[in-house]
Amino acid sequence: MPRENSDSDGRSLTPDMQDGFASSPTHDHPHPPRPSFHSQRQHKAHEDHPPPLDLRSTHIPPLDRFRQAARKVIALHRGVVDTVQQRGVGIEPGVDPRSPAADVEFEHLRERCVIEIADYSAVRSSFGRMTNAEFVELMNDPVASERERWVKVRWISIGGVSWDVIKAVAIRYNLNPMALEEIVRSTSTSTARSKVDYFSEHLFLRILCHELGNGNPLNELLNHPTDTTLVDGSVPAKGDGRPTLGERRVTGEHRRFNEAALNMLKSSERVDVHVLPMYIFLLRDGTVISLHSAPNLDLTQSITTRLRQFNSMLRMSADAPLLVQSILNIIVHKALEVVQAYEEKIQLAEHMILSRPTMESVRNMHVLSADLLLHRRTLAPIQAVVGTLRKYDVDRAAALVDTSQHPDEEIKVEGYMSQKALTYLADVSDHIDHVITQLEDIAGRGQNLVDYTFSMTSYDMNQVMRQLMIVSIVFMPFTFLCGYFGMNFEHFFPHERPDKYYWIISLPIATAVISLFLWPDIKGAIHYMRKRALVNNSLSDQRKLKTD
């Protein structure tokens, strides 16, 4: 019900939802996505209502001015929420950091980040760490965030994903909305893969980092809710059938819960590897922005140490593309550590299987093979990214040049990577090729060990069946004769003879049956005994020659 004011003659201060917002979108009935919230709002306002009153006119009462302003604010809020909840297939690509809808949709991305800004040249350097609020304040001030003249390269290293930080840096450096969408929508998903995108504003890379960890999947399992409550503790409401923003969050929580439960079941003998994305922006003015999903800067600490050294190559070159190459090199070296851990694990499993293969070993090898397949799938795109930067950097940059205005004019195209960076990218390419080759080799060895385990299990089963067969063949004649002599026949002559008569008949029959069924084994045993005798004779002759 609308609230009433004592000075309004019974009229409501805030309009009713049914009669005061005919032009604003409602949530009672589903409707198709709209191309623009503002355009439809203006269109329906012209159809259903007369032109709005001029708030600057002096003849409008203050109460009517306030009521009209309240209507606009509520309609704007409804439109933003409705736009966020309708995001799905066919939406406008990219994320506009200036849009209110983006603030509503990504308000849950809040984290205390570790931010470090490094300005350096061949002769000077400056380093500083900031919090979220300090960094946002710096980015919002164009004068304070402007680089000094001596600065050749500015590196903004961000540890953690927080929407306020991403929004501030995106607005300050005019980052492409498509790249922002890759950050905010693929941070917590396992379907993201490494890629490189060329934009007119900057170069964008998303690289999956593989690091060894000491975590326990049980902790991840306990940290996620198991009920259907939303992040804020409320219960998802039943609407028009379309999943709301909160319901989509619940679905993601349940998916992560199931993944954590499965990881807990496989956590006995697996290698603990953390796979997190690293986002890198390379601008033309020498600015490099790196954003790691982990809320720390441990991954790039070695690069910061190199920049503090006056005589390091990275510092002396003052080359932004070479800084990007250094980050890629660190990521590939971390992948090498993961491969070495799997190498140690496969050697231990090989020792256990060769000594005594068990089904527990097969289970561990199954888990290990599945992890190797996953890492092979996530590391292979890094190889493609490095190859693209080395071979097609200029071609991809040339595709962004618009030649429609001056078709006859020859335009000089420069790639994002410098010549020195391309030279050292060859080393990164060799390392990632080695990583992929090692993963394939370890996966092949693991599959061979699984096949060997099943072969040994089958061989042991065949040996048991063979022993049972030999026993059955040996005792089959005796069993048959026992059954025959035990029958109750009248005037059965063997009953009148002593028990020696049974053995007189059984032994020849058993010898004939055993010789008939086990003749190949008897021949093999005779052949083995002859070879053994020859070997013993040769050894004895050698001993005699040595003594003589």
Side-chain angles (χ1 to χ4, degrees):
M1 294 294 294
R3 298 188 300 271
E4 294 184 357
N5 191 354
S6 59
D7 299 333
S8 60
D9 299 332
R11 294 178 298 173
S12 64
L13 182 62
T14 57
D16 198 354
M17 296 300 177
Q18 297 180 356
D19 55 3
F21 291 95
S23 62
S24 62
T26 62
H27 300 278
D28 296 333
H29 302 283
H31 48 79
R34 297 159 296 178
S36 175
F37 162 71
H38 298 284
S39 61
Q40 182 174 359
R41 179 171 173 264
Q42 294 175 0
H43 177 69
K44 291 187 67 65
H46 285 295
E47 290 181 354
D48 301 338
H49 297 282
L53 298 176
D54 189 4
L55 295 178
R56 295 172 296 181
S57 301
T58 57
H59 64 277
I60 301 177
L63 186 60
D64 292 338
R65 294 183 186 179
F66 176 75
R67 184 180 293 110
Q68 190 174 15
R71 289 178 180 178
K72 291 184 178 181
V73 172
I74 296 176
L76 178 62
H77 176 72
R78 283 185 172 184
V80 169
V81 174
D82 186 69
T83 302
V84 171
Q85 291 184 352
Q86 289 187 10
R87 297 193 68 89
V89 178
I91 62 174
E92 184 72 17
V95 174
D96 185 7
R98 298 176 177 85
S99 172
D103 295 334
V104 175
E105 183 175 3
F106 305 113
E107 62 181 358
H108 63 282
L109 294 177
R110 296 289 179 180
E111 190 174 16
R112 182 178 298 176
C113 302
V114 180
I115 307 170
E116 186 175 70
I117 300 180
D119 293 336
Y120 67 93
S121 64
V123 294
R124 293 180 60 182
S125 64
S126 174
F127 301 86
R129 286 204 172 190
M130 298 182 178
T131 61
N132 293 29
E134 295 173 347
F135 181 76
V136 171
E137 182 180 359
L138 177 66
M139 292 293 103
N140 292 335
D141 190 350
V143 178
S145 60
E146 188 68 24
R147 299 191 314 186
E148 299 184 20
R149 294 183 178 181
W150 60 268
V151 177
K152 299 298 182 181
V153 179
R154 164 168 285 188
W155 179 27
I156 302 177
S157 181
I158 304 173
V161 179
S162 184
W163 173 244
D164 55 345
V165 174
I166 296 175
K167 177 181 178 180
V169 72
I171 295 176
R172 173 62 180 84
Y173 290 100
N174 192 25
L175 302 183
N176 193 278
M178 298 286 290
L180 293 182
E181 185 178 18
E182 295 291 342
I183 296 177
V184 297
R185 298 194 188 280
S186 63
T187 301
S188 59
T189 60
S190 58
T191 57
R193 54 177 293 167
S194 301
K195 59 180 294 188
V196 54
D197 289 330
Y198 282 75
F199 300 104
S200 57
E201 303 89 354
H202 53 77
L203 176 71
F204 172 71
L205 296 97
R206 180 180 63 197
I207 309 296
L208 294 184
C209 305
H210 299 68
E211 296 183 79
L212 293 176
N214 298 320
N216 187 0
L218 181 60
N219 297 332
E220 183 181 359
L221 176 65
L222 297 177
N223 290 333
H224 291 287
T226 58
D227 54 4
T228 57
T229 57
L230 299 182
V231 178
D232 56 358
S234 60
V235 179
K238 296 182 180 180
D240 53 4
R242 294 174 301 179
T244 62
L245 178 62
E247 291 173 347
R248 288 198 297 270
R249 293 181 192 173
V250 170
T251 304
E253 292 291 332
H254 285 184
R255 182 175 62 253
R256 287 191 292 269
F257 174 81
N258 294 332
E259 292 178 357
L262 182 60
N263 292 336
M264 185 185 66
L265 295 176
K266 300 190 299 183
S267 62
S268 58
E269 295 295 334
R270 71 187 313 184
V271 179
D272 185 17
V273 180
H274 296 168
V275 181
L276 295 175
M278 165 77 82
Y279 307 96
I280 305 173
F281 296 87
L282 174 60
L283 281 67
R284 290 287 188 182
D285 61 351
T287 301
V288 177
I289 304 172
S290 63
L291 190 148
H292 194 213
S293 298
N296 56 69
L297 300 178
D298 297 339
L299 181 65
T300 57
Q301 186 61 38
S302 59
I303 300 179
T304 304
T305 304
R306 291 169 57 189
L307 290 178
R308 293 180 182 272
Q309 298 174 359
F310 178 77
N311 57 349
S312 64
M313 182 192 65
L314 187 60
R315 169 73 179 278
M316 295 296 295
S317 63
D319 188 19
L322 190 61
L323 176 61
V324 175
Q325 182 272 336
S326 301
I327 298 176
L328 294 177
N329 193 35
I330 289 291
I331 295 174
V332 173
H333 275 82
K334 290 293 183 180
L336 281 173
E337 296 178 359
V338 172
V339 171
Q340 292 175 0
Y342 276 102
E343 180 71 25
E344 297 175 358
K345 183 69 68 173
I346 200 70
Q347 289 179 357
L348 179 61
E350 187 174 6
H351 174 73
M352 295 177 60
I353 290 176
L354 292 179
S355 60
R356 183 176 178 82
T358 59
M359 292 308 299
E360 182 67 19
S361 302
V362 175
R363 175 183 177 276
N364 295 336
M365 289 306 306
H366 168 72
V367 175
L368 197 65
S369 299
D371 290 343
L372 289 173
L373 181 62
L374 175 63
H375 296 320
R376 172 69 174 81
R377 181 172 60 87
T378 54
L379 286 171
I382 302 179
Q383 189 178 25
V385 168
V386 176
T388 301
L389 294 176
R390 290 186 59 202
K391 301 177 182 179
Y392 308 106
D393 179 56
V394 178
D395 296 338
R396 294 287 297 272
L400 302 174
V401 178
D402 186 11
T403 59
S404 59
Q405 297 181 356
H406 304 282
D408 299 332
E409 183 179 354
E410 184 178 356
I411 301 176
K412 183 180 180 181
V413 179
E414 294 183 0
Y416 281 94
M417 306 305 294
S418 63
Q419 187 63 35
K420 183 174 291 187
L422 292 176
T423 302
Y424 286 96
L425 273 177
D427 184 62
V428 179
S429 179
D430 294 339
H431 289 167
I432 191 62
D433 291 343
H434 175 69
V435 168
I436 300 298
T437 304
Q438 285 293 102
L439 282 179
E440 294 176 351
D441 178 67
I442 295 174
R445 290 167 58 186
Q447 185 61 40
N448 292 337
L449 289 176
V450 172
D451 296 340
Y452 172 78
T453 303
F454 281 112
S455 299
M456 290 300 299
T457 304
S458 178
Y459 176 78
D460 293 340
M461 182 63 67
N462 292 336
Q463 289 297 109
V464 172
M465 296 300 296
R466 177 183 176 81
Q467 294 173 2
L468 293 176
M469 181 195 68
I470 293 175
V471 172
S472 300
I473 291 175
V474 170
F475 287 96
M476 182 177 62
F478 299 101
T479 304
F480 172 75
L481 292 177
C482 285
Y484 180 75
F485 278 87
M487 293 182 181
N488 297 324
F489 293 114
E490 294 182 0
H491 306 291
F492 191 46
F493 71 95
H495 292 170
E496 301 175 358
R497 298 179 180 273
D499 56 348
K500 295 181 180 180
Y501 185 74
Y502 170 78
W503 295 107
I504 293 174
I505 298 176
S506 299
L507 290 177
I509 295 177
T511 303
V513 172
I514 293 173
S515 301
L516 178 63
F517 284 96
L518 300 180
W519 179 247
D521 298 300
I522 295 174
K523 289 178 61 178
I526 295 173
H527 180 69
Y528 173 77
M529 294 175 63
R530 288 179 178 177
K531 289 178 62 177
R532 189 70 179 177
L534 291 175
V535 171
N536 292 334
N537 293 333
S538 62
L539 291 176
S540 61
D541 294 340
Q542 290 179 2
R543 293 193 189 98
K544 290 180 181 180
L545 292 175
K546 289 181 179 179
T547 54
D548 295 341

